[in-house]
Amino acid sequence: MRDTLTVRLRSLDDRVAVIDRDTTRSYAELADEIDRLGALFDASGMEAGATVVLHGDFSFSQIAAFCALYLRRSIVVPVVTFTEAGHDAVRNTCRAEYVVRVGDEVAVEHWDPAGGQASERVDALRESGQAGLVLLSSGSTGKPKAILHNLDAIFAEKADAPERVGRIPRNVLLFLLADHIGGINSLLGVLRSRASAVIPAERTPGEICSLVEKYGIRLLPTSPTFLNLVLIGGFHEKHDLSSLKLITYGTEPMPEELLKRVHAAIPGARLLQTFGTSETGISTTSSKSSSSTSFRIEDAGSEYRIVDGELQLRTRTQFLGYLNYSNEAVTEDGWFRTGDLVEETGDGYIRVKGRAAEVINVGGEKVLPLELESILLGSPEISDCVVFGMPNSITGQAVHVEVVPSGNLSKAELRRHIRDFLDGKVEPFKMPTKVAIVAQTAFSARFKKDRKLNRG
């Protein structure tokens, strides 16, 4: 696809490619911008195959820069927001040679690569004449993992696949971030289907729902946490969301009760659970129904198996390895251990029960936060909640929950209600030992529940 990318885009002429904060740009203009930025990179002295940080979220120029770097066989490291740990990772782990900053203008900075040994995997990509992609994990528990992919393989699988006529809507909202595997997947889906990418100025429930109404968005890729924020704020009632035909949700497990609420609030949209990881890419899935959290992986490029309750994947877009961590998450026969605990529900369907790393161990008994959250969301007095474990000198860990109330109960009344509501529904060891009433649960910039923030 690399040799024909701009030819293919230019052939679409005045078809709308990007709607960037109300400015409409055509596919021909996108091809011209890719060429312009390629010339800028040449003028800066950027060599083919260089490791380049692409700093900025989705925009018309960011998309063009991403494509231009791909055409130059660069090792692309997309970064939306620099943290101290992220800055260290791109300098010392990725050994970045250039930074392309995308704002009102596109600027190129040359960096002298930090010391340290070059990655053999990166060198192998360069020698093969193929482009690379390095994704940085969130790094919430320490330094981010630098995840190396073959970008040519991702383009071939996601952007150069046969166009799925009638399955990809005309306007697609790029909700997920530009340095997230889901965001990149959404962008390549737009290019594959000749759709129009709608870019939000900010990712708030009001802004996103306003764009859905204004541009007749039919496909919204998002997360369970964000969907709940839409419901809590009543934005589905303040805006006309009738154009939505498909809402895909991923990045974190979906509580069954929340899915029921979303289905009831936006009945015209089909709800589809997606599944993927930064290491394996996004796999094509199908949900059992819009009110079911059970799904199938139906992707010719993906295989899965369940070992000791954990989902393992092997895909054509699988990463080449970590640049700064051991690869023990990959089995000797090439399967990636996702860390997701699942169960098979029959007829080829599976259901995510939660993350292995988030299981709460109460005196040897295991508590899955997702199970308890889903039960609690069945209460009309609770609009949101997050369950997590905290150290306990007697049991090792204890179950804590933060709750966002939906009614007018006092804090004491709500705490009593929660205990009464859970009584008979869960075993005694799953009963929360502490209930905190909060205005909003904590979540990351990627709208994923944060079970560790400021909790010791």
Side-chain angles (χ1 to χ4, degrees):
M1 170 154 181
R2 190 193 302 143
D3 295 336
T4 61
L5 177 61
T6 53
V7 173
R8 176 181 170 185
L9 298 181
R10 192 167 278 109
S11 71
L12 299 175
D13 197 19
D14 59 356
R15 184 182 298 191
V16 174
V18 177
I19 303 172
D20 185 359
R21 297 159 182 82
D22 292 329
T23 300
T24 299
R25 310 298 289 269
S26 70
Y27 271 96
E29 288 177 297
L30 179 59
D32 289 342
E33 182 71 353
I34 293 171
D35 288 344
R36 184 184 78 81
L37 292 179
L40 174 66
F41 300 156
D42 280 337
S44 72
M46 185 186 296
E47 305 88 357
T51 298
V52 183
V53 176
L54 178 56
H55 184 202
D57 203 354
F58 283 127
S59 66
F60 173 72
S61 292
Q62 192 275 349
I63 293 170
F66 180 72
C67 293
L69 291 172
Y70 161 68
L71 293 176
R72 298 176 65 81
R73 306 185 300 283
S74 301
I75 310 299
V76 187
V77 190
V79 175
V80 171
T81 302
F82 265 124
T83 63
E84 183 177 345
H87 191 274
D88 180 71
V90 298
R91 290 300 299 266
N92 299 316
T93 299
C94 303
R95 304 181 80 248
E97 301 160 82
Y98 295 88
V99 180
V100 174
R101 301 189 189 276
V102 182
D104 293 336
E105 301 291 337
V106 177
V108 181
E109 297 177 20
H110 182 267
W111 278 0
D112 291 325
Q117 187 174 359
S119 166
E120 293 181 359
R121 292 187 176 93
V122 171
D123 287 342
L125 266 181
R126 289 187 177 124
E127 291 171 7
S128 69
Q130 295 180 302
L133 173 71
V134 180
L135 299 175
L136 302 180
S137 68
S138 60
S140 58
T141 58
K143 67 179 181 180
K145 294 178 180 178
I147 305 163
L148 177 66
H149 283 272
N150 182 322
L151 188 53
D152 275 77
I154 293 176
F155 258 85
E157 188 76 12
K158 301 299 182 181
D160 204 24
E163 182 179 356
R164 295 184 291 178
V165 177
R167 293 193 59 187
I168 299 294
R170 180 176 178 272
N171 288 343
V172 178
L173 206 156
L174 295 185
F175 171 81
L176 300 173
L177 296 174
D179 57 4
H180 186 279
I181 187 63
I184 293 171
N185 187 72
S186 295
L187 170 62
L188 296 184
V190 168
L191 297 179
R192 175 182 61 198
S193 59
R194 288 79 160 172
S196 303
V198 179
I199 299 172
E202 56 182 359
R203 291 175 175 85
T204 61
E207 168 75 0
I208 295 301
C209 290
S210 175
L211 290 175
V212 169
E213 179 177 17
K214 182 174 183 178
Y215 292 108
I217 301 293
R218 299 179 64 193
L219 168 62
L220 175 62
T222 184
S223 72
T225 290
F226 188 83
L227 289 170
N228 201 28
L229 291 174
V230 170
L231 301 190
I232 292 172
F235 294 100
H236 61 296
E237 297 171 337
K238 300 172 185 176
H239 298 275
D240 181 3
L241 306 184
S242 60
S243 64
L244 282 175
K245 302 305 177 188
L246 178 62
I247 298 174
T248 63
Y249 57 90
T251 76
E252 63 180 351
M254 168 72 84
E256 290 186 12
E257 286 298 326
L258 175 57
L259 183 61
K260 292 176 184 177
R261 290 183 182 184
V262 175
H263 185 47
I266 315 175
R270 182 166 62 92
L271 300 173
L272 171 64
Q273 177 162 326
T274 58
F275 192 87
T277 70
S278 296
E279 289 84 356
T280 60
I282 307 298
S283 298
T284 301
T285 59
S286 66
S287 289
K288 193 169 187 178
S289 72
S290 289
S291 57
S292 172
T293 57
S294 298
F295 66 98
R296 286 174 173 166
I297 294 178
E298 299 180 335
D299 193 317
S302 301
E303 302 174 89
Y304 80 90
R305 69 185 185 187
I306 301 171
V307 179
D308 296 329
E310 180 189 40
L311 182 65
Q312 298 184 3
L313 292 175
R314 188 165 60 185
T315 71
R316 287 201 291 252
T317 55
Q318 192 151 313
F319 75 137
L320 302 177
Y322 298 115
L323 299 183
N324 56 347
Y325 276 79
S326 72
N327 291 306
E328 60 186 18
V330 180
T331 66
E332 291 184 0
D333 52 347
W335 293 81
F336 176 70
R337 300 184 178 100
T338 65
D340 287 293
L341 301 177
V342 302
E343 64 180 2
E344 293 185 279
T345 61
D347 301 327
Y349 287 96
I350 57 179
R351 183 174 69 87
V352 177
K353 299 168 62 179
R355 296 283 297 167
E358 295 173 350
V359 172
I360 305 168
N361 190 331
V362 182
E365 300 285 357
K366 303 297 191 293
V367 180
L368 292 165
L370 181 65
E371 175 193 3
L372 199 52
E373 288 169 3
S374 189
I375 294 172
L376 287 170
L377 288 174
S379 165
E381 301 295 336
I382 298 173
S383 63
D384 197 10
C385 63
V386 58
V387 174
F388 53 96
M390 288 293 286
N392 183 279
S393 60
I394 299 174
T395 60
Q397 284 186 301
V399 178
H400 288 211
V401 59
E402 292 179 354
V403 173
V404 179
S406 59
N408 297 314
L409 296 181
S410 68
K411 291 183 178 180
E413 289 172 333
L414 183 56
R415 290 189 176 99
R416 284 196 297 271
H417 167 76
I418 288 172
R419 285 171 172 77
D420 291 342
F421 186 77
L422 291 176
D423 188 32
K425 294 184 177 72
V426 300
E427 296 92 329
F429 67 86
K430 296 180 181 178
M431 194 70 71
T433 61
K434 181 177 180 180
V435 176
I437 313 302
V438 298
Q440 181 174 277
T441 58
F443 53 85
S444 70
R446 296 178 180 180
F447 292 98
K448 181 178 179 180
K449 279 187 177 178
D450 193 332
R451 303 184 192 280
K452 298 177 181 178
L453 184 65
N454 299 323
R455 299 189 181 111

